[in-house]
Amino acid sequence: MEVIGKSVIRKEAVDKVTGRAKYTHDYQKVPLLSGKMVISPYGHAKIVNIDTSEAWKVPGVRAILTGKQYPLTGEAIRDRPPIAFDKVRYHGEPVALVVADTPAQAKTAADLIKVQYELLPVVNSPTQAFQKNAPLVHERLGEYKKEADSHPVPDTNIATLIKIRKGNMAKGWAESETVVEASFSFAPSDHVAMETRCATAEISPDGNIIIMTSSQAPFMVKRLIADYFGEDMGKIIVRTPLVGGAYGGKAPVQLEVLAYMASKEVGGKPVKILNTREEDILTSPCHIGLDATVKLGANRSGKITVAEILYLWDGGAYSDKAIDVTRSGATDCTGPYNIENVWCDSYCMYTNHPYAAPFRGFSHSELSFAIERTMDLLAQKLNIDPLELRYINAIMPGNTTPTRVRLNKSNVGNLQKCIEKVRGLIKWDEGPVKVLNDRFIRVKGVSCSWKTSTIDTDAPSGVILTFNRDGSINLMSGVVEIGTGTKTILAQILAERLKMDVNKIHVRMEVDTQTTPEHWKTVASRGTFMGGRAVLKAAEDVIHQLKELAACVLRSPKEDLEIANSRVFLRDDPAIGLHFKEIGYGYKYPNGNTVGGQIIGRGSYILRHLTPLDPETGAGRPGPEWTVAAYGVEIEFDKRDYTYRLLKAATVVDIGRVMNEKAAVGQVMGAMSMGLSFAGRETFYFDELGRVLNPQLRTYRPLRYGENPEYLVGFVETPQIDGPYGARGVGEHGLLGMPGALGNALSTAAGVSLHNLPLIPELIWKAKEANK
Amino acid sequence: MLPFDFEYYKPETLQEAVELYQYLDQQGKQPMFFSGGTELITLGRIDLAYTEAVIDIKDIAECKVMQVSGDHLLIGSTLTLTQIEEANLFPLLTKTASQVADHSARGKITLGGNICARIFYREAVLPFLLADSQVVIAGTDGGKVVAIHDVFQGELKLKRGEILVQTATESRFIRAPFFSFKRRQQWETGYPLITVAALKIDQEVRVAVSGLCPFPFRSKEVETALNKSGQSAVARVDGALAVLPKPILNDVEGSAEYRLFVLRNLLVDVLAALDGVRIR
Amino acid sequence: MQSHTITLNINEEIHIVAVKAADTLLYTIRGKLGLTGAKPGCLNGDCGACTVNVDGWPMKSCLMLTVEAVGKKVTTIEGLRETPIQQAFVENFAFQCGYCTPGFIMNCHSLIQQHPDADDQTIKEWLESNICRCTSYIEIEKAVKSVLNKK
Ligand SMILES: Cc1cc2nc3c(=O)[nH]c(=O)nc-3n(C[C@H](O)[C@H](O)[C@H](O)COP(=O)(O)OP(=O)(O)OC[C@H]3O[C@@H](n4cnc5c(N)ncnc54)[C@H](O)[C@@H]3O)c2cc1C
Ligand code: FES
Ligand code: FES
């Protein structure tokens, strides 16, 4: 391997350190109108009246969109008016949209719109939503258009229910000797990408709709706008430049729809909508919350025989992607353990909270907290070392998943190896607790995770390669560069396959749905896998074309040709050959005659054998492979104050194949950082009216420099046979086990079982007080 | 992005500033003194502050001094917290100020602005409360020097159009042993859950607190309890907790009960640091 | 709305711009001068994405009015030319999405100017002014230390 595994500098590095890298909001032009939303100050209220008369008097106001029923939107269920009508269902929901010449005018006018509300009873948690007499978030749930595999229950707050029924529960309980049951709960939180969401739209006289957006799913924007508004799909052109962090939060389609509606209202003029931080937190979709109950049974030796699990996901006011998150949570509901008998109900609940987007890990960091805390409770009850308990139950080839997929040595990584490696990294054998003095102790906690990527069964990825006259290659893929460096890895894959210098491969960073081949969505750590497979196919295509032409020019059979260092040459006499620059645009003989033509490589990939889940049993193949990982966290705990410092965090992930060493380590460490931040500090605080009380970064506080621990990263490489060079995804996995491992460390340290996030000192204090 | 515009003035003398204020006020422009200006900029954008005329006081010489004059340290109100930290002439102030916001923001936030701020933590005032400092105030009737205790009751009670010019602090307080600690909801970012500043002078411990109540305070009753001789540290702290001002904050940073728990331990730490009391 | 014509010194160039008193420095350098390296992340002084350098010190440009910058030297990320800290960020993979990067680099650059021998405590105190949501901060720590140590 020449290029794979090397820490190749990302292609857009220089742009990013010189301030030249451009994100959606950095594109300016004149004229560019500004859209400003008026948002609901309440969680649940009837809209009694909207008065726009004062707002219209502000100079520069061109349109005010409000008080009208626009087509309902939403991916799994069409339940969301882009601008609220009749009533508002969450704090932050748009109720009007002002379009004006400048941002200041738009804001001034938006402030002058008077909305009269009548408060309605608030559904403030998924557990409350589940109660029989709970207020309804959607009275007309039965009437919405929906996808076939969404199962809303009219006259309830259930947006969908996914059932897992595997094995024989009675047998499982009979075989178990020790049972633990525990409940867990945490509120929604936020992604906090540093770039707030932004979209512009304009409609040209010929009907072309041009949208620029900071999105993980530009191709979805195109499809959905066509679908929602009956526009020609081919006339919708969506551009996505560099994206300033996404983490799942930019997979849903929201501002694009508003920008499109706004532009339409002003005769197609370009309109930009840029979220303020407050809007990005409140109005745009958030990180899902969860109420969970987990019951595990194990025999005397610690083998888990049965699991009964209830997940109530806090989908918020609109179901959108929360339905998929709920399904994904059911799919891997048990965590990475081999359990024969599984019963799980995974409900997507409507509440009066901001609605949920995917969040890095797509349900897995959330469910892991519940599962991994319960695993520690089980270990405690069985009096088995917690890491050992995980080791003996670790999922392995030959086992089946909750949705009954039989695993083999390619489609699942090696969890036991990960556990062993993490054991060494965190020096587990020195013991989980080290007493420093009568006040301070150092404590370790562990956890494990697995994850398959549940994506559409027909999700495509495509790549186009073109040549430059100097023989260098342009690579175009629909993968969005959201920070993961995937596009550089795609270049590495191509360089490896063509045995050429990666610097001679130019990557197009911007996605343009008109000219870039589709990549479904840049989510679920699937960029490297699917995009990589498409690159390999495109490389084959190019190799075939290069050799075909060279065979003719060199008068040699194709089979005798090799490709390396941007040349096609004879295997037995490399001196005889042609440089790419001599054949990329056809070969020109000395007399001017030219044969062959411009070489354009194309490659595409689609996942195979995926199936939807059976509505009654959950049986089905939801994703291509399961990546596994093991984690450890070490803290220093103050027994007097219940405060703690993060000392170390470790992740060992079976990555299949390390494609870019530093980039992979960076992805894992960055994900751990986000996971610890989520577990340790991040949450929305709601009041009784469903208002989020901390919608600013002053009060919603991601981890900062110096609060972080030391990070330890290890890799196991069990190749996924059909992955490009064996690679599995790695963008999410560092995060998944952090809440569980931190929760376990703190529960041990404080001597009290912790069941909520975030794990702030006050929570520990409360648990201790309650125990007194 | 402020949804309104305003006139901008940058007077060079106190008199000019005071007169401008009167003039603009009479015109109904709701004038606002602007020091670091972070209050107007951050609250204005969410419609919580408004003005039609800004009077930037950063060019006024008296507001920029930082010098020892006889037995007093004078600190101008428009100095940024960073400038004060870098000079480090008043270590307790350096420590307490350095816990406000973050380093870059402290390059903009000023001493006077923090003391006069609407955000009720006003942590930079704590050292001056402890040191019985004096403040120099300019108004229509000229300048005056008053004890901080006479004008600071939870907030600085300035008359409309008055300017906080300087603080003056006796050097014996500046040399006194001190303690200053900011506990946040979690780790090292954010508003105070409780900030305690303390110093020891004439064998007595003094404490001032921000984050417990919706105003920073120093309380005679609390100090009397803490300094009761012949009692155990725990009893002294209990005594102090019994005489706290009200109300105790109960918000997203922490519940009232938890804040009291935190304060208790911090007061124990104050006694340990300044009174040599050993606990555990 | 009153427009003021003012003279700004930005990246060693003199610019004459018309601004409103209420315009922040961030708004002006991005909107009027096309210097989009400084990013809006919160407009509230919390995130540091908008950090520039004013008279040698880091400044959150969303917290400063443009008129306040008159008579001061402003340096933005576009004003840095192949500095060691930029190179160090590249070599240490100290960014992913890159959105926080100009602000972080400007803060680091100011730190290196003011405290070339900064210790861990000082580095922490300065750098906790910025949020990076992608990296683990370890990469940034390595980058800044690699430059500090060289001095
Ligand atoms: C990122 C960030 C984090 C923060 N974190 C904290 C924190 O942890 N703890 C904390 O206590 N605060 C915090 N704050 C609030 C901050 O302290 C206030 O915004 C700040 O104190 C205002 O200082 P300034 O110099 O910008 O004042 P300005 O905005 O200029 O003034 C504040 C108020 O005081 C008046 N004023 C200013 N100077 C004078 C004077 N000399 N005489 C009379 N009136 C005057 C002004 O008219 C205005 O009403 C934070 C602010 C930011 C931006
Ligand atoms: S935009 Fe200035 S600090 Fe966030
Ligand atoms: S690199 Fe994305 S926020 Fe720092």
Side-chain angles (χ1 to χ4, degrees):
Chain A
M1 292 285 159
E2 295 284 324
V3 196
I4 297 293
K6 300 268 154 46
S7 298
V8 171
I9 301 290
R10 56 169 72 229
K11 291 278 180 185
E12 76 288 12
V14 172
D15 276 357
K16 283 183 173 171
V17 297
T18 54
R20 300 307 200 281
K22 283 204 170 183
Y23 303 81
T24 301
H25 179 48
D26 296 336
Y27 289 85
Q28 307 176 343
K29 60 174 176 179
V30 184
L32 181 55
L33 305 187
S34 272
K36 177 74 192 172
M37 295 177 277
V38 177
I39 61 175
S40 162
Y42 302 115
H44 200 189
K46 202 170 143 43
I47 300 173
V48 178
N49 186 43
I50 302 177
D51 178 0
T52 59
S53 52
E54 288 302 310
W56 273 112
K57 291 182 191 157
V58 176
V61 170
R62 304 296 166 207
I64 299 177
L65 290 78
T66 190
K68 217 173 103 182
Q69 206 156 9
Y70 293 94
L72 289 173
T73 63
E75 291 202 27
I77 301 177
R78 295 279 169 88
D79 56 10
R80 183 168 54 88
I83 295 173
F85 186 71
D86 282 347
K87 70 170 187 171
V88 289
R89 296 183 175 87
Y90 72 97
H91 177 203
E93 180 163 5
V95 289
L97 177 63
V98 179
V99 187
D101 291 350
T102 70
Q105 290 166 342
K107 161 93 173 116
T108 306
D111 286 348
L112 289 170
I113 292 180
K114 292 182 207 78
V115 188
Q116 211 186 322
Y117 297 97
E118 196 178 291
L119 294 182
L120 295 169
V122 173
V123 182
N124 231 339
S125 78
T127 298
Q128 185 201 343
F130 202 55
Q131 309 299 318
K132 279 242 144 42
N133 52 357
L136 290 183
V137 179
H138 292 267
E139 294 81 359
R140 302 180 161 190
L141 187 51
E143 297 169 25
Y144 296 140
K145 221 173 123 183
K146 65 173 195 70
E147 284 185 352
D149 56 351
S150 306
H151 315 292
V153 183
D155 301 318
T156 73
N157 289 313
I158 300 169
T160 204
L161 162 61
I162 309 294
K163 295 186 219 169
I164 300 291
R165 305 285 183 268
K166 180 184 129 176
N168 178 336
M169 295 300 287
K171 179 163 165 276
W173 292 122
E175 286 168 8
S176 69
E177 284 156 279
T178 303
V179 174
V180 287
E181 180 174 356
S183 294
F184 303 88
S185 172
F186 48 89
S189 50
D190 199 58
H191 306 77
V192 190
M194 293 315 298
E195 177 203 23
T196 57
R197 297 161 178 96
C198 181
T200 62
E202 68 180 290
I203 306 170
S204 58
D206 60 7
N208 278 346
I209 298 161
I210 299 146
I211 291 175
M212 183 181 278
T213 171
S214 60
S215 170
Q216 293 173 265
F219 295 92
M220 217 50 209
V221 172
K222 174 165 117 173
R223 273 164 66 180
L224 290 178
I225 286 187
D227 213 16
Y228 295 155
F229 299 95
E231 299 282 3
D232 287 350
M233 209 178 289
K235 291 201 161 180
I236 305 170
I237 301 162
V238 184
R239 298 192 178 129
T240 295
L242 294 171
V243 172
Y247 325 108
K250 289 175 180 167
V253 177
Q254 183 194 36
L255 294 189
E256 300 86 349
V257 169
L258 292 173
Y260 157 81
M261 284 167 34
S263 175
K264 202 161 176 177
E265 200 75 16
V266 295
K269 287 197 207 103
V271 179
K272 176 186 277 187
I273 302 179
L274 167 70
N275 269 352
T276 61
R277 176 57 62 188
E278 290 82 353
E279 288 160 347
D280 212 55
I281 288 178
L282 294 171
T283 303
S284 287
C286 67
H287 173 193
I288 205 161
L290 174 68
D291 288 354
T293 302
V294 179
K295 191 173 169 190
L296 298 177
N299 67 22
R300 193 163 301 157
S301 61
K303 180 80 199 72
I304 302 169
T305 58
V306 60
E308 186 183 303
I309 299 164
L310 175 68
Y311 291 140
L312 299 175
W313 299 94
D314 189 346
Y318 299 103
S319 61
D320 209 56
K321 301 304 300 167
I323 296 221
D324 287 356
V325 174
T326 300
R327 183 180 306 111
S328 168
T331 295
D332 291 340
C333 61
T334 53
Y337 307 110
N338 176 34
I339 306 175
E340 295 287 333
N341 310 297
V342 180
W343 181 100
C344 171
D345 274 355
S346 185
Y347 285 94
C348 182
M349 299 306 302
Y350 284 118
T351 66
N352 291 118
H353 289 167
Y355 69 102
F359 176 77
R360 201 173 189 175
F362 211 67
S363 79
H364 289 70
S365 66
E366 299 84 356
L367 73 85
S368 269
F369 176 66
I371 294 292
E372 295 299 317
R373 283 289 304 117
T374 312
M375 286 296 281
D376 260 36
L377 293 175
L378 180 62
Q380 201 179 6
K381 200 156 177 189
L382 287 164
N383 205 10
I384 293 183
D385 176 287
L387 205 51
E388 192 56 28
L389 180 70
R390 289 171 170 86
Y391 188 88
I392 58 183
N393 287 290
I395 195 86
M396 284 202 278
N399 301 156
T400 59
T401 73
T403 70
R404 308 189 200 179
V405 175
R406 186 154 305 275
L407 298 171
N408 58 42
K409 67 181 179 16
S410 167
N411 67 8
V412 66
N414 190 328
L415 181 58
Q416 290 192 332
K417 259 195 190 168
C418 294
I419 292 175
E420 283 315 289
K421 205 156 177 175
V422 100
R423 178 196 294 280
L425 273 184
I426 61 164
K427 306 202 170 91
W428 180 253
D429 294 339
E430 289 176 5
V433 183
K434 184 170 159 193
V435 177
L436 298 183
N437 55 41
D438 55 5
R439 191 166 147 190
F440 291 97
I441 50 176
R442 293 193 168 180
V443 185
K444 296 166 198 165
V446 292
S447 68
C448 294
S449 82
W450 70 341
K451 178 174 187 292
T452 191
S453 297
T454 46
I455 62 183
D456 286 6
T457 55
D458 58 353
S461 185
V463 161
I464 293 176
L465 303 176
T466 60
F467 280 82
N468 298 303
R469 296 271 175 185
D470 63 357
S472 62
I473 298 181
N474 303 310
L475 189 161
M476 277 155 288
S477 146
V479 172
V480 178
E481 184 45 71
I482 53 176
T484 51
T486 309
K487 288 204 146 162
T488 303
I489 289 175
L490 295 183
Q492 285 181 261
I493 291 173
L494 183 62
E496 184 72 42
R497 183 67 191 89
L498 296 180
K499 302 194 187 116
M500 68 184 284
D501 182 357
V502 70
N503 293 316
K504 301 228 161 78
I505 295 170
H506 306 284
V507 176
R508 184 185 157 105
M509 284 297 154
E510 185 184 311
V511 169
D512 172 333
T513 60
Q514 195 176 37
T515 54
T516 323
E518 174 158 348
H519 176 80
W520 180 62
K521 295 180 192 177
T522 305
V523 296
S525 305
R526 286 287 72 136
T528 302
F529 179 77
M530 293 173 55
R533 282 291 297 261
V535 165
L536 286 174
K537 201 146 177 212
E540 289 312 321
D541 189 28
V542 160
I543 289 169
H544 170 76
Q545 295 181 53
L546 288 166
K547 283 188 178 172
E548 194 102 298
L549 183 54
C552 160
V553 177
L554 299 174
R555 292 179 216 125
S556 138
K558 246 176 88 182
E559 299 71 45
D560 292 1
L561 298 175
E562 274 293 325
I563 288 185
N565 301 319
S566 303
R567 286 178 74 245
V568 193
F569 52 85
L570 290 179
R571 187 173 299 118
D572 56 348
D573 189 356
I576 301 175
L578 294 160
H579 193 272
F580 288 177
K581 68 182 169 199
E582 295 173 279
I583 49 176
Y585 280 78
Y587 179 79
K588 188 165 162 187
Y589 287 97
N591 71 355
N593 293 172
T594 305
V595 293
Q598 180 180 354
I599 292 179
I600 300 172
R602 62 198 168 95
S604 74
Y605 181 73
I606 200 150
L607 289 165
R608 65 173 150 81
H609 296 168
L610 299 189
T611 60
L613 305 183
D614 181 280
E616 288 313 314
T617 66
R621 181 181 289 269
E625 62 91 29
W626 278 257
T627 299
V628 295
Y631 311 84
V633 167
E634 184 175 357
I635 54 160
E636 185 172 297
F637 184 74
D638 180 340
K639 292 199 291 184
R640 188 195 74 170
D641 290 348
Y642 308 121
T643 53
Y644 63 95
R645 276 193 313 132
L646 300 169
L647 296 179
K648 284 181 187 162
T651 294
V652 175
V653 52
D654 190 338
I655 185 172
R657 172 99 204 192
V658 178
M659 304 293 277
N660 181 322
E661 171 88 33
K662 276 197 189 173
V665 170
Q667 282 295 306
V668 175
M669 295 202 304
M672 279 197 268
S673 169
M674 194 172 227
L676 290 169
S677 191
F678 160 47
R681 189 157 63 201
E682 295 181 31
T683 188
F684 288 165
Y685 292 95
F686 292 98
D687 70 3
E688 67 285 359
L689 297 178
R691 290 181 294 200
V692 178
L693 300 175
N694 57 333
Q696 295 192 319
L697 297 181
R698 191 89 53 87
T699 41
Y700 185 102
R701 308 178 186 116
L703 204 71
R704 299 260 177 168
Y705 184 101
E707 293 178 323
N708 56 284
E710 179 191 337
Y711 292 104
L712 307 167
V713 178
F715 294 117
V716 168
E717 293 184 304
T718 308
Q720 181 195 359
I721 292 166
D722 50 3
Y725 297 99
R728 301 173 194 273
V730 74
E732 304 163 292
H733 300 88
L735 197 158
L736 309 184
M738 288 297 117
L742 181 62
N744 287 337
L746 283 167
S747 296
T748 304
V752 59
S753 187
L754 299 170
H755 296 252
N756 304 83
L757 297 176
L759 295 153
I760 56 173
E762 178 166 5
L763 176 88
I764 305 170
W765 171 79
K766 272 198 189 127
K768 288 297 271 190
E769 289 294 296
N771 251 20
K772 267 182 191 164
Chain B
M1 167 70 44
L2 293 172
F4 52 87
D5 198 15
F6 41 74
E7 294 164 12
Y8 177 79
Y9 300 91
K10 206 170 190 191
E12 288 181 7
T13 67
L14 282 169
Q15 194 189 344
E16 225 186 304
V18 168
E19 283 168 5
L20 254 177
Y21 191 99
Q22 297 306 322
Y23 171 74
L24 294 164
D25 201 18
Q26 274 158 23
Q27 295 200 330
K29 296 206 163 141
Q30 297 165 257
M32 192 166 171
F33 290 123
F34 185 98
S35 185
T38 59
E39 178 171 297
L40 178 63
I41 294 174
T42 60
L43 297 185
R45 60 177 280 279
I46 50 172
D47 309 322
L48 295 178
Y50 180 78
T51 180
E52 287 165 22
V54 155
I55 306 170
D56 188 338
I57 56 175
K58 286 195 289 295
D59 269 357
I60 299 170
E62 291 90 330
C63 294
K64 294 194 275 193
V65 299
M66 180 155 44
Q67 72 190 51
V68 179
S69 162
D71 207 22
H72 284 81
L73 171 65
L74 305 182
I75 304 181
S77 64
T78 64
L79 293 172
T80 67
L81 298 184
T82 303
Q83 285 170 322
I84 291 169
E85 288 165 49
E86 293 276 333
N88 194 21
L89 299 178
F90 186 178
L92 168 59
L93 178 60
T94 299
K95 176 81 200 303
T96 309
S98 72
Q99 303 172 138
V100 173
D102 60 57
H103 179 268
S104 296
R106 292 196 300 277
K108 194 76 182 13
I109 294 172
T110 63
L111 178 65
N114 187 268
I115 292 176
C116 300
R118 265 166 54 187
I119 292 181
F120 55 52
Y121 300 113
R122 301 175 200 120
E123 293 167 87
V125 81
L126 302 179
F128 301 106
L129 294 178
L130 293 172
D132 297 338
S133 299
Q134 293 176 311
V135 290
V136 181
I137 294 171
T140 41
D141 43 0
K144 59 180 175 187
V145 182
V146 289
I148 192 161
H149 300 305
D150 292 341
V151 285
F152 194 94
Q153 283 105 32
E155 59 186 333
L156 198 63
K157 306 280 184 197
L158 292 179
K159 287 205 212 79
R160 216 175 154 69
E162 279 185 338
I163 301 175
L164 169 65
V165 182
Q166 298 166 359
T167 60
T169 307
E170 261 183 86
S171 45
R172 65 191 193 102
F173 290 103
I174 286 173
R175 292 189 307 264
F178 67 90
F179 174 93
S180 178
F181 197 84
K182 176 169 179 172
R183 263 290 298 284
R184 296 155 172 104
Q185 181 199 55
Q186 174 72 298
W187 299 320
E188 287 151 62
T189 311
Y191 285 139
L193 190 58
I194 304 275
T195 298
V196 168
L199 63 72
K200 189 171 185 183
I201 192 103
D202 304 333
Q203 301 310 310
E204 300 259 286
V205 172
R206 299 177 169 194
V207 293
V209 181
S210 164
L212 182 72
C213 304
F215 47 82
F217 69 88
R218 181 179 156 206
S219 145
K220 278 269 156 308
E221 292 77 11
V222 167
E223 285 175 9
T224 309
L226 280 180
N227 286 301
K228 260 216 176 98
S229 54
Q231 281 196 357
S232 74
V234 171
R236 284 152 65 190
V237 169
D238 279 342
L241 291 176
V243 293
L244 290 172
K246 297 262 150 31
I248 308 293
L249 286 169
N250 187 13
D251 58 21
V252 295
E253 301 296 339
S255 64
E257 302 75 43
Y258 181 62
R259 277 187 154 96
L260 291 173
F261 166 80
V262 171
L263 180 66
R264 168 184 298 276
N265 285 345
L266 280 173
L267 290 178
V268 168
D269 290 343
V270 167
L271 293 183
L274 298 182
D275 226 15
V277 181
R278 238 194 71 77
I279 297 118
R280 288 227 235 183
Chain C
M1 304 258 165
Q2 203 183 336
S3 170
H4 306 244
T5 301
I6 57 168
T7 304
L8 295 176
N9 179 337
I10 298 188
N11 299 334
E12 318 248 308
E13 288 172 355
I14 302 300
H15 292 270
I16 297 173
V17 284
V19 300
K20 288 185 293 155
D23 290 346
T24 60
L25 181 60
L26 177 68
Y27 182 79
T28 303
I29 59 177
R30 286 178 58 85
K32 294 269 163 66
L33 301 174
L35 298 171
T36 55
K39 304 292 182 211
C42 65
L43 304 184
N44 201 47
D46 298 324
C47 75
C50 64
T51 305
V52 299
N53 178 300
V54 175
D55 285 346
W57 292 84
M59 174 59 65
K60 293 179 167 177
S61 62
C62 71
L63 285 183
M64 187 176 215
L65 299 177
T66 313
V67 288
E68 289 185 273
V70 172
K72 299 188 187 307
K73 281 180 72 168
V74 178
T75 309
T76 70
I77 185 80
E78 289 89 348
L80 299 193
R81 296 275 143 72
E82 295 176 26
T83 58
I85 188 66
Q86 288 168 293
Q87 191 53 31
F89 262 63
V90 171
E91 282 163 13
N92 289 283
F93 283 57
F95 54 89
Q96 291 176 22
C97 79
Y99 198 81
C100 72
T101 312
F104 245 115
I105 290 182
M106 292 316 293
N107 194 6
C108 291
H109 176 74
S110 312
L111 171 64
I112 294 159
Q113 277 186 318
Q114 298 297 338
H115 295 286
D117 48 2
D119 58 10
D120 279 3
Q121 185 50 38
T122 308
I123 299 174
K124 175 171 173 314
E125 193 174 322
W126 280 58
L127 297 196
E128 66 191 13
S129 306
N130 300 55
I131 300 174
C132 177
R133 194 61 162 164
C134 295
T135 74
S136 72
Y137 297 116
I138 300 280
E139 302 90 332
I140 294 172
E141 178 181 0
K142 279 192 185 146
V144 73
K145 284 187 176 169
S146 76
V147 177
L148 286 169
N149 289 342
K150 271 183 200 150
K151 300 226 163 178

